[in-house]
Amino acid sequence: MEKKQFKAESKRLLDLMINSIYTHKEIFLRELISNASDAIDKIYYKTLTDESLKFERDDYYVKVIPDKENRTLRICDTGIGMTKEELDNNLGVIAKSGSLQFKKENELKDGYDIIGQFGVGFYSAFLVSDDVTVISKAFGSDKAYKWHSKGAEGYTIEPYNKEKVGTEIILKIKENTEDENYDDYLEEHTLKTIIKKYSDFIRYPIKMDINNKKLKEGSEDEYEEHIEEQTINSMVPIWRKNKNELNKEDYENFYAEKHYGFDKPVKYIHTSVDGIVSYNAILFIPEKTPYDFYTKEYEKGLELYSNGVLIMNKCGDLLPDYFGFVKGIVDSEDLSLNISREILQHDRQLKLIAKNIKSKIKNELENLLKNNRESYEKFYDSFGRQLKYGIYSDFGMNKDVLEDLIMFYSSKEKKMVTLSEYVDRMPEDQKYIYYAVGESNERIEKLPQIEVVLDKGYEILYFTDDVDEFAIKVLMKYKDKEFKSVSSGDLGIEVDKKDETSNEEDKENKELFESMKEILADKVKDVRASKRLKNHPVCLANEGELSIEMEKILNSMPNNQNLKADKVLEININHDVFRSLRNIYESDKDRLKLYTKLLYNQALLIEGLSISDPVEFTNNICELMK
Ligand code: ADP
Ligand code: MG
């Protein structure tokens, strides 16, 4: 018989499983039962929606059969089964999504965290077994197959006799070791406890059969008559249960069972609505960003059930993009089973549910912000960017939903603050909400442009995400206060009279600035005396809607149109450097050229922009040192 190799990644994961010292090995049962339940979901849905399948049986169950004598544990289901190809493809590679996560966490040595933090699916069988058999007969097929593996070195697939459609997994349980009592996984009592703990809400009966030791593997079909069966789980899906009967752990177990995330959610929302449209929903707000969240690959959506029957794994229409991080399920009696994806999009009931869910999430996030700042900040750290995208996209249509949920780092508080906190403590003479843009808080703190605003005692919000300034341009105002960049032409701040120059001086300076502007040609729109600088000799300001930071971002994108912000070189006329400029202005035109270029390049560097000709720049410095 041909031996097939696992894909490289799977092999590594298998090795991890088999040799793991992970202490919660019991989760293997949750994983296998969850797969069984998924498989039953699929066949159940088929028989409900396809008229020609009405005759199909309705005995949907999972059976767990421990056998101490043979040291085996079997998990049988009456689900949709797998064809030979499916056995090969589905069990030979690790589930698509998990695999990438795994790659990213490859610093982990014994796999402890991988197993604990995210579901490892079928391979978790190898936590308790080093000899795994899967016998399966697919729906619509007349042949059954047996898949067998003793771990990382590979697996075999061969034809097998099995009458009923479904899958049976046979685990040869490992021998006890010093650290682990594997016998436990053959104990009726232990198994029941594990099932209760993780799989209570599975909607199909999970039965335990303890008296069937004599039968051969693959002959579960013959158990039909058997009497000593008990259903262990309550079978009431968690979302149909009364909130009062459930505790945090129940929700967290459900979150883990569904593989919604490898973190613990910062918040769960359980809601039952009876009205024009009725539904139950459980929603989770994760704490950590899924590894693919900010990529094209990420698919938002909630699980959608119609009266207990799964009709869609990820219904994207239930969530706006800006709340795309929310996980969970919705079950409604008002949705038709046979509904297609296309029709669903326009379904009135679904739209109503989506609308309700949106405001529910908004309210719960606001509550979290108000009542549990620490959790909110954790959440915001992961998903704040998405909220800001939400403000920016759709021409600002969702401003109202989102403006009270966003936060920025504050120069005053040295922590994240909301816009309403900012506006509420604005001094009376302050007209604008000030912000500064930069790569990091540390860099912004060093920007010469912020000095005068800080000196006024005004608070500045630090924008460090690419999207920040774009979002704010769409928002335009918050509580009637406009936003103002510290680099913008007019800051709207009164400067002290003593800095004002006489008309005579103004005129002279003007000529100097004109010359400098000529030297810099099309690089700047203007050169002028700065009203914002204190200790630095120069900075760049900008005029018009497009800021220098936005120019940077837009031009870093593919197919950029090489947009340019209108830049203004501002000179600090109280600085010694300015005095030198004045001195050489009349006497040494070459030197003025040199100084002007140097100052301009300095200003670029401070802004975090690149210098177009670094060699010329260094040559110029050398020239100066001579
Ligand atoms: P996931 O459940 O996240 O897809 P798993 O590793 O748990 O990943 O399972 C891999 C795949 O193997 C499943 O998607 C399914 O197609 C198939 N599979 C596993 N167990 C069963 C089963 N009992 N019946 C039918 N198919 C199964
Ligand atoms: Mg699974």
Side-chain angles (χ1 to χ4, degrees):
M1 202 182 348
E2 186 201 358
K3 187 144 220 164
K4 299 199 178 190
Q5 294 298 312
F6 286 106
K7 301 266 154 39
E9 249 184 3
S10 310
K11 212 168 146 170
R12 259 185 77 202
L13 186 55
L14 271 178
D15 269 334
L16 276 176
M17 292 297 150
I18 291 178
N19 303 314
S20 165
I21 50 160
Y22 182 57
T23 41
H24 299 287
K25 290 179 191 252
E26 63 191 30
I27 58 115
F28 80 94
L29 196 54
R30 170 189 87 191
E31 297 297 321
L32 297 182
I33 289 176
S34 148
N35 283 350
S37 166
D38 289 349
I40 300 175
D41 270 345
K42 286 179 195 157
I43 197 161
Y44 184 41
Y45 180 74
K46 257 197 161 62
T47 56
L48 281 179
T49 52
D50 188 338
E51 276 292 302
S52 67
L53 298 174
K54 272 204 304 261
F55 58 87
E56 283 299 323
R57 59 152 199 278
D58 59 358
D59 54 339
Y60 301 111
Y61 60 83
V62 185
K63 213 178 274 181
V64 176
I65 310 162
D67 177 348
K68 280 186 192 159
E69 263 164 50
N70 294 309
R71 271 198 98 69
T72 60
L73 180 67
R74 301 188 206 177
I75 295 100
C76 311
D77 68 63
T78 56
I80 198 153
M82 282 177 274
T83 62
K84 187 179 177 198
E85 289 68 38
E86 283 166 342
L87 280 168
D88 200 15
N89 293 333
N90 298 346
L91 307 184
V93 287
I94 351 172
K96 45 279 149 208
S97 54
S99 60
L100 282 163
Q101 182 65 39
F102 175 52
K103 256 193 224 154
K104 278 183 92 183
E105 312 217 343
N106 57 8
E107 72 273 14
L108 302 163
K109 277 162 282 327
D110 64 359
Y112 184 92
D113 285 73
I114 296 177
I115 299 163
Q117 293 192 337
F118 83 112
V120 284
F122 169 73
Y123 285 176
S124 58
F126 288 90
L127 285 170
V128 296
S129 169
D130 40 25
D131 185 328
V132 177
T133 304
V134 181
I135 296 164
S136 195
K137 184 170 180 184
F139 173 77
S141 157
D142 48 9
K143 290 199 187 89
Y145 291 90
K146 173 172 147 178
W147 179 101
H148 177 238
S149 171
K150 286 190 166 187
E153 69 265 24
Y155 60 91
T156 56
I157 299 177
E158 61 185 306
Y160 201 82
N161 262 337
K162 176 170 168 44
E163 200 175 312
K164 275 170 78 171
V165 169
T167 302
E168 172 170 354
I169 295 176
I170 303 155
L171 311 177
K172 185 108 193 144
I173 298 296
K174 289 181 194 173
E175 294 296 334
N176 287 347
T177 62
E178 249 172 55
D179 314 307
E180 187 80 27
N181 188 30
Y182 290 102
D183 284 355
D184 270 353
Y185 304 116
L186 296 165
E187 273 320 322
E188 182 193 341
H189 177 72
T190 314
L191 292 167
K192 276 186 183 165
T193 311
I194 300 173
I195 293 169
K196 263 286 192 218
K197 179 166 170 195
Y198 295 106
S199 311
D200 194 50
F201 313 118
I202 295 285
R203 279 159 308 123
Y204 308 102
I206 304 167
K207 301 175 184 185
M208 176 110 90
D209 194 319
I210 31 174
N211 237 10
N212 254 305
K213 296 160 193 156
K214 283 153 266 146
L215 294 176
K216 284 206 340 273
E217 63 182 41
S219 56
E220 185 266 328
D221 301 352
E222 296 162 41
Y223 291 179
E224 224 50 41
E225 259 61 60
H226 215 268
I227 18 110
E228 250 193 81
E229 279 180 357
Q230 307 156 352
T231 297
I232 300 153
N233 54 329
S234 74
M235 290 205 297
V236 181
I238 181 166
W239 56 91
R240 291 260 176 100
K241 287 213 165 178
N242 194 323
K243 271 176 264 188
N244 309 335
E245 294 169 38
L246 298 160
N247 56 35
K248 190 160 165 250
E249 218 195 345
D250 293 324
Y251 291 102
E252 285 176 356
N253 280 337
F254 182 68
Y255 185 84
E257 198 256 331
K258 286 284 184 186
H259 295 175
Y260 285 149
F262 51 90
D263 52 354
K264 288 229 160 77
V266 288
K267 176 124 201 149
Y268 58 84
I269 305 161
H270 188 163
T271 157
S272 300
V273 175
D274 265 314
I276 316 172
V277 57
S278 305
Y279 63 90
N280 294 305
I282 296 186
L283 310 170
F284 292 97
I285 295 164
E287 180 188 307
K288 300 210 173 83
T289 346
Y291 70 96
D292 61 349
F293 186 70
Y294 289 107
T295 71
K296 284 203 301 292
E297 277 71 49
Y298 183 79
E299 205 191 328
K300 62 162 185 173
L302 300 174
E303 270 180 90
L304 184 61
Y305 287 76
S306 159
N307 210 3
V309 183
L310 180 69
I311 51 176
M312 202 181 290
N313 266 325
K314 274 193 180 162
C315 180
D317 295 320
L318 281 170
L319 291 174
D321 282 346
Y322 51 83
F323 289 153
F325 46 80
V326 173
K327 305 279 183 183
I329 86 106
V330 173
D331 187 0
S332 171
E333 297 161 9
D334 300 325
L335 294 169
S336 145
L337 252 190
N338 272 307
I339 208 156
S340 74
R341 241 163 229 269
E342 293 69 39
I343 298 175
L344 199 56
Q345 263 183 10
H346 307 289
D347 190 86
R348 236 189 66 237
Q349 318 282 2
L350 193 84
K351 281 191 176 152
L352 256 170
I353 299 177
K355 197 169 152 236
N356 284 353
I357 283 181
K358 181 178 83 180
S359 40
K360 186 84 192 163
I361 298 170
K362 172 184 146 74
N363 291 342
E364 292 296 332
L365 283 174
E366 277 175 358
N367 285 343
L368 190 68
L369 173 60
K370 207 159 67 197
N371 304 324
N372 191 344
R373 182 78 169 213
E374 200 186 325
S375 287
Y376 189 82
E377 284 185 20
K378 277 189 200 158
F379 152 78
Y380 192 79
D381 196 40
S382 298
F383 301 108
R385 189 138 61 103
Q386 189 68 8
L387 301 181
K388 292 181 286 191
Y389 277 125
I391 289 185
Y392 172 66
S393 51
D394 297 324
F395 311 102
M397 227 167 64
N398 310 304
K399 287 199 269 204
D400 294 348
V401 184
L402 297 170
E403 62 182 4
D404 284 313
L405 294 175
I406 59 173
M407 303 174 107
F408 297 101
Y409 186 85
S410 149
S411 63
K412 192 170 240 155
E413 300 291 310
K414 304 285 175 214
K415 65 181 177 74
M416 302 298 280
V417 301
T418 64
L419 295 175
S420 105
E421 286 162 352
Y422 182 104
V423 168
D424 289 350
R425 60 173 166 249
M426 266 168 78
E428 227 156 88
D429 64 339
Q430 185 181 341
K431 279 189 264 175
Y432 302 107
I433 302 173
Y434 291 100
Y435 67 85
V437 188
E439 222 163 75
S440 62
N441 294 342
E442 294 70 33
R443 262 191 105 142
I444 293 175
E445 237 140 38
K446 292 190 183 122
L447 281 177
Q449 289 94 326
I450 69 171
E451 284 182 334
V452 65
V453 184
L454 291 182
D455 270 11
K456 258 319 232 190
Y458 298 163
E459 184 171 4
I460 300 175
L461 299 175
Y462 291 1
F463 287 6
T464 50
D465 256 349
D466 281 2
V467 64
D468 290 351
E469 200 174 13
F470 291 88
I472 244 57
K473 296 259 170 186
V474 171
L475 198 54
M476 289 188 298
K477 286 179 181 176
Y478 179 82
K479 288 192 185 162
D480 279 334
K481 302 285 180 195
E482 278 175 51
F483 291 89
K484 190 76 137 177
S485 161
V486 295
S487 303
S488 66
D490 172 24
L491 280 177
I493 289 178
E494 296 292 321
V495 272
D496 295 346
K497 282 281 177 278
K498 72 171 167 34
D499 284 350
E500 300 273 292
T501 46
S502 71
N503 284 345
E504 181 75 4
E505 272 175 301
D506 269 354
K507 218 176 131 221
E508 281 171 35
N509 290 349
K510 216 167 174 192
E511 286 164 21
L512 166 59
F513 293 150
E514 276 302 317
S515 311
M516 292 176 76
K517 192 181 153 190
E518 264 164 49
I519 294 167
L520 293 172
D522 56 352
K523 291 195 182 72
V524 297
K525 220 179 146 228
D526 206 2
V527 179
R528 66 178 166 228
S530 179
K531 288 182 178 164
R532 76 189 92 220
L533 289 174
K534 283 185 57 206
N535 301 314
H536 284 73
V538 280
C539 74
L540 283 176
N542 90 277
E543 287 184 339
E545 274 304 294
L546 189 68
S547 76
I548 295 167
E549 292 300 323
M550 290 164 92
E551 170 194 311
K552 257 197 277 181
I553 294 159
L554 291 174
N555 289 337
S556 70
M557 294 186 184
N559 313 323
N560 73 75
Q561 292 161 10
N562 217 4
L563 295 165
K564 289 269 173 259
D566 290 333
K567 303 185 186 73
V568 176
L569 184 66
E570 291 197 353
I571 311 282
N572 181 353
I573 55 172
N574 299 316
H575 200 281
D576 287 344
V577 164
F578 182 69
R579 259 152 246 148
S580 318
L581 272 176
R582 292 232 46 145
N583 291 339
I584 55 154
Y585 171 49
E586 297 295 341
S587 57
D588 192 344
K589 287 279 179 255
D590 282 344
R591 221 138 236 243
L592 179 68
K593 214 167 158 180
L594 180 73
Y595 281 20
T596 303
K597 284 185 174 173
L598 275 171
L599 285 173
Y600 172 69
N601 281 332
Q602 277 187 30
L604 286 180
L605 286 175
I606 294 172
E607 278 296 319
L609 292 163
S610 61
I611 296 179
S612 59
D613 190 346
V615 176
E616 189 198 20
F617 179 64
T618 46
N619 283 345
N620 283 346
I621 291 178
C622 293
E623 186 64 34
L624 198 69
M625 293 163 79
K626 269 192 224 158

